[in-house]
Amino acid sequence: MKFKITNGLLFDPIQNFDKKKKDIFVDGNKIVDPSSEEKKKYITSYDVDGMIVMAGAIDMHSHIAGGNVNNARLLMPEIHKMFVENTLKSRKNNPSLGSSRWTVDGTGYRYSEMGYTTVVEPAVLPINALVTHLELESIPMIDKAGLGIVGNDNFLLDSLSKKKGQSFIDDYVGWTINSSKCLGLKVINAGGSEVFKQRGNAESYTLDDIVPSYGVTSRQILESLNIANENLKIPHPVHVHCNNLGMAGNINSIIDTIEGAQGRRMHLAHVQFYGYDDKGKKGFSSGALKLAESVNKNKNITVDVGQVMFHPTVTISSDIWKQNNAKNFANPNKWIISEVETGGGGVVPYEYKKKNFVNALQWVIGLELFLLIKDPWRVFLTTDHPNGAPFTSYPKLIRLLMDLDYRNSELEKINPFVKNMSDLKGIKRVYSLYEIAIMTRAAPAKILGLSDRGSLKPGSIADISIYDSSKEVDEMFSSAKYVFKNGQKIIENGRIVKTLKCSTISVDTNYDKRIHKNLQKWFDKNYNIKLDTFNVESEFFYPNTFKSLKPN
């Protein structure tokens, strides 16, 4: 189908369009640049005079599928009820007729209503990859991708311990990515989960602490995986969940990690949870300025923030160590901790409260990081859904970044001790719509290697979000006027008008297949499952579910 979008105000950093009035032409699933004569054939037209037009938004870190997510659904049915009652505004138009309870369909519907068209699940445990992908396939309206978890897997630790060599590690990583059909690597507390399994709780775990039984350090694990990522030419840098998440003084851990990257590209996830210093009477203070200065200095580093918002939520993570500590603060008092081979995880419900000292400081630290990190191409808008807040909080978060008066009014409502000690009140910076387009569209597409999206340029897939600029920022981004996915109109006036099955994106790496013999030998010795169990086979999915990228 051919159609045109006329008189819109385009915000497209890839083309340096900052509120540029320009028409868009769509033919099939692509944005095109037709000749003057061909333009006459575009009869169907959407006049969006004065409205804001952006590419479909991309969320690069949101827990939307997999074992921990499903455990959270089972543990917290009240959250599911709240999800549908408070956020699925268009449920009467959905095929589910309002029956979603934080389900796969509800996730896709709400993301699309906000103008999002691509979402990355950042923690795919390889042994659970098949089930995770079956769930991702069922999420409608948005394209998906996953990041494969490595860093505590026994085969990797054994290979490093026995000094098998970098090429051997490269091949193992390549097999992991391909067999799990993931887009990149996720490292969670490198070596830390194995330390916890063998020794139980400890006060902290530094980059240079030794993993028992293997004699390797977290630093060595990260370095070898980072080099493997480069050697395999995986577009997305290693996506790192650092050590000592949530602990006072962990600012030193993340700065050590940045320095340990040695100039190599590295992406640090939900950095708000690492922006904690240990100064002051309470032994807990903001390290946002230190962290922002380090990120600003090291151009090889990108971050997503993982902003805390004041909501009841449920935290989910494959960082068993962290979640085992967090269970003492569960609200309500119920939790799940699971230890399995080469992984595991925890589910702990929690409520962030404005008057709570720690929660208020977490909220402040996240905003300070957004505002003190100078380059919007290297900082990404996330809440680490659902750990800091549900993804449905994004519109309010965007308003906090764009509206100084609103931000200051919200600052007045938090814990007074935090308000008075915070540097946030003195920061006058506000984000522009152009910068929001960078951090939610152009930059995520670039860092993920998704060159076909994040832009409105000809040749891009026709993922287009249109917003009514007469509304307040948070209301505007909460409910798009129109959303087009692959050239098909799926949202109109904030309501779903068409459901759409979309794709899951992976990268197809090149590695030496002789590693399979070593892996099979390892599995035969240590497990009672076959190596093929790890392979995500296309035969279990609908045709054209997967879209594979080549390394670049």
Side-chain angles (χ1 to χ4, degrees), residues 431-466:
Y431 273 69
S432 66
L433 279 170
Y434 186 77
E435 289 175 312
I436 295 299
I438 291 173
M439 72 189 314
T440 61
R441 272 90 173 163
K446 179 180 178 182
I447 194 176
L448 292 167
L450 304 178
S451 58
D452 62 347
R453 64 197 67 203
S455 174
L456 300 169
K457 68 180 180 180
S460 299
I461 59 174
D463 287 2
I464 304 168
S465 301
I466 301 172

mmCIF file of all heavy atoms in Angstrom, residues 431-466:
data_model
loop_
_atom_site.group_PDB
_atom_site.id
_atom_site.type_symbol
_atom_site.label_atom_id
_atom_site.label_comp_id
_atom_site.label_asym_id
_atom_site.label_seq_id
_atom_site.Cartn_x
_atom_site.Cartn_y
_atom_site.Cartn_z
ATOM 1 N N TYR A 431 16.041 18.569 28.277
ATOM 2 C CA TYR A 431 16.182 17.905 26.987
ATOM 3 C C TYR A 431 15.226 18.534 25.973
ATOM 4 O O TYR A 431 14.120 18.963 26.321
ATOM 5 C CB TYR A 431 15.858 16.411 27.118
ATOM 6 C CG TYR A 431 17.023 15.544 27.514
ATOM 7 C CD1 TYR A 431 17.580 15.624 28.793
ATOM 8 C CD2 TYR A 431 17.572 14.634 26.622
ATOM 9 C CE1 TYR A 431 18.645 14.816 29.167
ATOM 10 C CE2 TYR A 431 18.634 13.813 26.985
ATOM 11 C CZ TYR A 431 19.169 13.917 28.260
ATOM 12 O OH TYR A 431 20.219 13.115 28.622
ATOM 13 N N SER A 432 15.671 18.569 24.728
ATOM 14 C CA SER A 432 14.815 18.999 23.622
ATOM 15 C C SER A 432 14.169 17.773 22.982
ATOM 16 O O SER A 432 14.589 16.633 23.217
ATOM 17 C CB SER A 432 15.648 19.737 22.574
ATOM 18 O OG SER A 432 16.581 18.840 21.969
ATOM 19 N N LEU A 433 13.158 17.997 22.162
ATOM 20 C CA LEU A 433 12.556 16.896 21.427
ATOM 21 C C LEU A 433 13.567 16.220 20.514
ATOM 22 O O LEU A 433 13.524 15.004 20.305
ATOM 23 C CB LEU A 433 11.355 17.396 20.607
ATOM 24 C CG LEU A 433 10.048 17.563 21.374
ATOM 25 C CD1 LEU A 433 9.020 18.287 20.506
ATOM 26 C CD2 LEU A 433 9.501 16.212 21.827
ATOM 27 N N TYR A 434 14.488 16.993 19.987
ATOM 28 C CA TYR A 434 15.540 16.437 19.130
ATOM 29 C C TYR A 434 16.409 15.466 19.922
ATOM 30 O O TYR A 434 16.735 14.368 19.445
ATOM 31 C CB TYR A 434 16.385 17.571 18.569
ATOM 32 C CG TYR A 434 17.419 17.162 17.544
ATOM 33 C CD1 TYR A 434 17.049 16.875 16.236
ATOM 34 C CD2 TYR A 434 18.768 17.077 17.879
ATOM 35 C CE1 TYR A 434 17.988 16.518 15.281
ATOM 36 C CE2 TYR A 434 19.719 16.713 16.943
ATOM 37 C CZ TYR A 434 19.328 16.434 15.640
ATOM 38 O OH TYR A 434 20.261 16.072 14.712
ATOM 39 N N GLU A 435 16.753 15.840 21.169
ATOM 40 C CA GLU A 435 17.562 14.953 21.998
ATOM 41 C C GLU A 435 16.775 13.715 22.423
ATOM 42 O O GLU A 435 17.341 12.618 22.521
ATOM 43 C CB GLU A 435 18.068 15.716 23.223
ATOM 44 C CG GLU A 435 19.124 16.749 22.888
ATOM 45 C CD GLU A 435 19.536 17.573 24.087
ATOM 46 O OE1 GLU A 435 18.644 18.063 24.801
ATOM 47 O OE2 GLU A 435 20.752 17.721 24.327
ATOM 48 N N ILE A 436 15.482 13.868 22.669
ATOM 49 C CA ILE A 436 14.650 12.704 22.971
ATOM 50 C C ILE A 436 14.628 11.754 21.773
ATOM 51 O O ILE A 436 14.705 10.521 21.939
ATOM 52 C CB ILE A 436 13.216 13.139 23.343
ATOM 53 C CG1 ILE A 436 13.217 13.955 24.642
ATOM 54 C CG2 ILE A 436 12.296 11.932 23.461
ATOM 55 C CD1 ILE A 436 13.727 13.215 25.854
ATOM 56 N N ALA A 437 14.561 12.308 20.570
ATOM 57 C CA ALA A 437 14.594 11.472 19.362
ATOM 58 C C ALA A 437 15.926 10.747 19.240
ATOM 59 O O ALA A 437 15.985 9.607 18.781
ATOM 60 C CB ALA A 437 14.333 12.328 18.123
ATOM 61 N N ILE A 438 17.012 11.382 19.664
ATOM 62 C CA ILE A 438 18.318 10.722 19.644
ATOM 63 C C ILE A 438 18.312 9.518 20.584
ATOM 64 O O ILE A 438 18.605 8.388 20.192
ATOM 65 C CB ILE A 438 19.447 11.691 20.050
ATOM 66 C CG1 ILE A 438 19.656 12.770 18.980
ATOM 67 C CG2 ILE A 438 20.758 10.922 20.271
ATOM 68 C CD1 ILE A 438 20.640 13.859 19.395
ATOM 69 N N MET A 439 17.954 9.752 21.841
ATOM 70 C CA MET A 439 18.130 8.723 22.868
ATOM 71 C C MET A 439 17.088 7.613 22.806
ATOM 72 O O MET A 439 17.299 6.538 23.380
ATOM 73 C CB MET A 439 18.168 9.355 24.261
ATOM 74 C CG MET A 439 16.841 9.867 24.758
ATOM 75 S SD MET A 439 16.987 10.842 26.291
ATOM 76 C CE MET A 439 18.051 9.839 27.290
ATOM 77 N N THR A 440 15.976 7.834 22.100
ATOM 78 C CA THR A 440 14.950 6.792 22.010
ATOM 79 C C THR A 440 14.784 6.243 20.598
ATOM 80 O O THR A 440 14.032 5.283 20.419
ATOM 81 C CB THR A 440 13.579 7.334 22.477
ATOM 82 O OG1 THR A 440 13.179 8.426 21.636
ATOM 83 C CG2 THR A 440 13.629 7.788 23.920
ATOM 84 N N ARG A 441 15.481 6.784 19.625
ATOM 85 C CA ARG A 441 15.345 6.311 18.254
ATOM 86 C C ARG A 441 16.709 6.103 17.581
ATOM 87 O O ARG A 441 17.166 4.987 17.394
ATOM 88 C CB ARG A 441 14.525 7.316 17.405
ATOM 89 C CG ARG A 441 13.031 7.103 17.440
ATOM 90 C CD ARG A 441 12.347 7.848 18.526
ATOM 91 N NE ARG A 441 10.892 7.713 18.387
ATOM 92 C CZ ARG A 441 10.041 7.992 19.372
ATOM 93 N NH1 ARG A 441 10.467 8.436 20.531
ATOM 94 N NH2 ARG A 441 8.726 7.838 19.179
ATOM 95 N N ALA A 442 17.345 7.212 17.240
ATOM 96 C CA ALA A 442 18.554 7.139 16.413
ATOM 97 C C ALA A 442 19.703 6.412 17.107
ATOM 98 O O ALA A 442 20.365 5.549 16.515
ATOM 99 C CB ALA A 442 18.987 8.555 16.013
ATOM 100 N N ALA A 443 19.966 6.756 18.371
ATOM 101 C CA ALA A 443 21.103 6.162 19.069
ATOM 102 C C ALA A 443 20.901 4.673 19.369
ATOM 103 O O ALA A 443 21.824 3.879 19.168
ATOM 104 C CB ALA A 443 21.403 6.943 20.350
ATOM 105 N N PRO A 444 19.724 4.236 19.856
ATOM 106 C CA PRO A 444 19.545 2.794 20.051
ATOM 107 C C PRO A 444 19.701 1.995 18.761
ATOM 108 O O PRO A 444 20.297 0.911 18.770
ATOM 109 C CB PRO A 444 18.122 2.685 20.614
ATOM 110 C CG PRO A 444 17.831 4.009 21.195
ATOM 111 C CD PRO A 444 18.577 5.008 20.362
ATOM 112 N N ALA A 445 19.161 2.516 17.658
ATOM 113 C CA ALA A 445 19.312 1.811 16.383
ATOM 114 C C ALA A 445 20.783 1.675 16.017
ATOM 115 O O ALA A 445 21.235 0.614 15.564
ATOM 116 C CB ALA A 445 18.556 2.550 15.282
ATOM 117 N N LYS A 446 21.535 2.736 16.236
ATOM 118 C CA LYS A 446 22.956 2.727 15.887
ATOM 119 C C LYS A 446 23.734 1.732 16.742
ATOM 120 O O LYS A 446 24.502 0.909 16.218
ATOM 121 C CB LYS A 446 23.533 4.134 16.066
ATOM 122 C CG LYS A 446 25.013 4.250 15.746
ATOM 123 C CD LYS A 446 25.509 5.676 15.952
ATOM 124 C CE LYS A 446 27.001 5.793 15.670
ATOM 125 N NZ LYS A 446 27.507 7.176 15.904
ATOM 126 N N ILE A 447 23.536 1.747 18.054
ATOM 127 C CA ILE A 447 24.343 0.908 18.927
ATOM 128 C C ILE A 447 23.955 -0.566 18.819
ATOM 129 O O ILE A 447 24.769 -1.456 19.063
ATOM 130 C CB ILE A 447 24.231 1.392 20.389
ATOM 131 C CG1 ILE A 447 25.330 0.748 21.237
ATOM 132 C CG2 ILE A 447 22.873 1.086 20.976
ATOM 133 C CD1 ILE A 447 25.377 1.233 22.658
ATOM 134 N N LEU A 448 22.715 -0.838 18.405
ATOM 135 C CA LEU A 448 22.277 -2.226 18.240
ATOM 136 C C LEU A 448 22.599 -2.778 16.854
ATOM 137 O O LEU A 448 22.412 -3.971 16.606
ATOM 138 C CB LEU A 448 20.768 -2.326 18.494
ATOM 139 C CG LEU A 448 20.321 -2.085 19.937
ATOM 140 C CD1 LEU A 448 18.807 -1.889 20.009
ATOM 141 C CD2 LEU A 448 20.751 -3.226 20.855
ATOM 142 N N GLY A 449 23.054 -1.918 15.966
ATOM 143 C CA GLY A 449 23.365 -2.355 14.609
ATOM 144 C C GLY A 449 22.135 -2.483 13.728
ATOM 145 O O GLY A 449 22.175 -3.172 12.700
ATOM 146 N N LEU A 450 21.048 -1.796 14.092
ATOM 147 C CA LEU A 450 19.791 -1.879 13.344
ATOM 148 C C LEU A 450 19.704 -0.695 12.387
ATOM 149 O O LEU A 450 18.976 0.279 12.613
ATOM 150 C CB LEU A 450 18.603 -1.902 14.311
ATOM 151 C CG LEU A 450 18.642 -3.013 15.358
ATOM 152 C CD1 LEU A 450 17.447 -2.917 16.297
ATOM 153 C CD2 LEU A 450 18.692 -4.396 14.698
ATOM 154 N N SER A 451 20.429 -0.786 11.295
ATOM 155 C CA SER A 451 20.542 0.339 10.369
ATOM 156 C C SER A 451 19.270 0.579 9.567
ATOM 157 O O SER A 451 19.163 1.598 8.874
ATOM 158 C CB SER A 451 21.711 0.101 9.407
ATOM 159 O OG SER A 451 21.534 -1.108 8.685
ATOM 160 N N ASP A 452 18.311 -0.341 9.661
ATOM 161 C CA ASP A 452 17.078 -0.199 8.883
ATOM 162 C C ASP A 452 15.996 0.562 9.630
ATOM 163 O O ASP A 452 14.886 0.710 9.122
ATOM 164 C CB ASP A 452 16.539 -1.578 8.483
ATOM 165 C CG ASP A 452 16.164 -2.443 9.680
ATOM 166 O OD1 ASP A 452 16.550 -2.081 10.819
ATOM 167 O OD2 ASP A 452 15.498 -3.480 9.482
ATOM 168 N N ARG A 453 16.306 1.068 10.826
ATOM 169 C CA ARG A 453 15.277 1.748 11.623
ATOM 170 C C ARG A 453 15.907 2.854 12.456
ATOM 171 O O ARG A 453 17.102 3.097 12.396
ATOM 172 C CB ARG A 453 14.547 0.747 12.514
ATOM 173 C CG ARG A 453 15.424 0.085 13.578
ATOM 174 C CD ARG A 453 14.770 -1.171 14.129
ATOM 175 N NE ARG A 453 14.708 -2.198 13.083
ATOM 176 C CZ ARG A 453 13.844 -3.212 13.072
ATOM 177 N NH1 ARG A 453 12.969 -3.317 14.038
ATOM 178 N NH2 ARG A 453 13.868 -4.101 12.096
ATOM 179 N N GLY A 454 15.072 3.541 13.217
ATOM 180 C CA GLY A 454 15.560 4.663 14.017
ATOM 181 C C GLY A 454 15.624 5.958 13.248
ATOM 182 O O GLY A 454 16.081 6.973 13.766
ATOM 183 N N SER A 455 15.159 5.947 12.000
ATOM 184 C CA SER A 455 15.233 7.116 11.124
ATOM 185 C C SER A 455 14.034 7.143 10.191
ATOM 186 O O SER A 455 13.374 6.122 9.958
ATOM 187 C CB SER A 455 16.524 7.092 10.307
ATOM 188 O OG SER A 455 16.552 8.144 9.356
ATOM 189 N N LEU A 456 13.762 8.317 9.650
ATOM 190 C CA LEU A 456 12.698 8.501 8.655
ATOM 191 C C LEU A 456 13.269 8.667 7.253
ATOM 192 O O LEU A 456 12.550 9.075 6.333
ATOM 193 C CB LEU A 456 11.860 9.736 9.024
ATOM 194 C CG LEU A 456 11.172 9.692 10.400
ATOM 195 C CD1 LEU A 456 10.597 11.060 10.757
ATOM 196 C CD2 LEU A 456 10.091 8.633 10.425
ATOM 197 N N LYS A 457 14.523 8.330 7.082
ATOM 198 C CA LYS A 457 15.147 8.503 5.777
ATOM 199 C C LYS A 457 14.635 7.447 4.798
ATOM 200 O O LYS A 457 14.235 6.343 5.197
ATOM 201 C CB LYS A 457 16.665 8.412 5.894
ATOM 202 C CG LYS A 457 17.190 7.034 6.259
ATOM 203 C CD LYS A 457 18.708 7.021 6.364
ATOM 204 C CE LYS A 457 19.215 5.623 6.725
ATOM 205 N NZ LYS A 457 20.689 5.581 6.839
ATOM 206 N N PRO A 458 14.630 7.756 3.503
ATOM 207 C CA PRO A 458 14.234 6.759 2.502
ATOM 208 C C PRO A 458 15.084 5.493 2.610
ATOM 209 O O PRO A 458 16.297 5.558 2.815
ATOM 210 C CB PRO A 458 14.482 7.490 1.180
ATOM 211 C CG PRO A 458 14.319 8.940 1.511
ATOM 212 C CD PRO A 458 14.889 9.080 2.892
ATOM 213 N N GLY A 459 14.419 4.347 2.521
ATOM 214 C CA GLY A 459 15.088 3.061 2.673
ATOM 215 C C GLY A 459 14.869 2.441 4.028
ATOM 216 O O GLY A 459 15.040 1.224 4.196
ATOM 217 N N SER A 460 14.504 3.252 5.021
ATOM 218 C CA SER A 460 14.214 2.721 6.352
ATOM 219 C C SER A 460 12.870 2.005 6.335
ATOM 220 O O SER A 460 11.982 2.329 5.548
ATOM 221 C CB SER A 460 14.177 3.850 7.388
ATOM 222 O OG SER A 460 15.409 4.509 7.478
ATOM 223 N N ILE A 461 12.722 1.025 7.251
ATOM 224 C CA ILE A 461 11.401 0.424 7.387
ATOM 225 C C ILE A 461 10.441 1.497 7.901
ATOM 226 O O ILE A 461 10.827 2.402 8.643
ATOM 227 C CB ILE A 461 11.414 -0.802 8.320
ATOM 228 C CG1 ILE A 461 11.915 -0.440 9.719
ATOM 229 C CG2 ILE A 461 12.244 -1.924 7.750
ATOM 230 C CD1 ILE A 461 11.805 -1.575 10.715
ATOM 231 N N ALA A 462 9.194 1.377 7.505
ATOM 232 C CA ALA A 462 8.205 2.413 7.804
ATOM 233 C C ALA A 462 7.633 2.209 9.211
ATOM 234 O O ALA A 462 6.457 1.891 9.394
ATOM 235 C CB ALA A 462 7.109 2.415 6.753
ATOM 236 N N ASP A 463 8.513 2.375 10.204
ATOM 237 C CA ASP A 463 8.104 2.436 11.603
ATOM 238 C C ASP A 463 8.043 3.911 11.969
ATOM 239 O O ASP A 463 9.084 4.582 12.096
ATOM 240 C CB ASP A 463 9.112 1.715 12.502
ATOM 241 C CG ASP A 463 9.044 0.202 12.385
ATOM 242 O OD1 ASP A 463 8.241 -0.292 11.570
ATOM 243 O OD2 ASP A 463 9.794 -0.480 13.104
ATOM 244 N N ILE A 464 6.833 4.434 12.130
ATOM 245 C CA ILE A 464 6.637 5.879 12.261
ATOM 246 C C ILE A 464 5.679 6.145 13.412
ATOM 247 O O ILE A 464 4.616 5.519 13.516
ATOM 248 C CB ILE A 464 6.063 6.476 10.959
ATOM 249 C CG1 ILE A 464 6.974 6.143 9.768
ATOM 250 C CG2 ILE A 464 5.880 7.982 11.090
ATOM 251 C CD1 ILE A 464 6.345 6.436 8.413
ATOM 252 N N SER A 465 6.060 7.086 14.285
ATOM 253 C CA SER A 465 5.208 7.505 15.398
ATOM 254 C C SER A 465 4.889 8.983 15.258
ATOM 255 O O SER A 465 5.786 9.795 14.999
ATOM 256 C CB SER A 465 5.908 7.259 16.737
ATOM 257 O OG SER A 465 6.229 5.893 16.888
ATOM 258 N N ILE A 466 3.616 9.332 15.459
ATOM 259 C CA ILE A 466 3.154 10.711 15.295
ATOM 260 C C ILE A 466 2.424 11.114 16.571
ATOM 261 O O ILE A 466 1.563 10.387 17.067
ATOM 262 C CB ILE A 466 2.232 10.836 14.074
ATOM 263 C CG1 ILE A 466 2.989 10.396 12.807
ATOM 264 C CG2 ILE A 466 1.709 12.268 13.925
ATOM 265 C CD1 ILE A 466 2.121 10.300 11.566
#
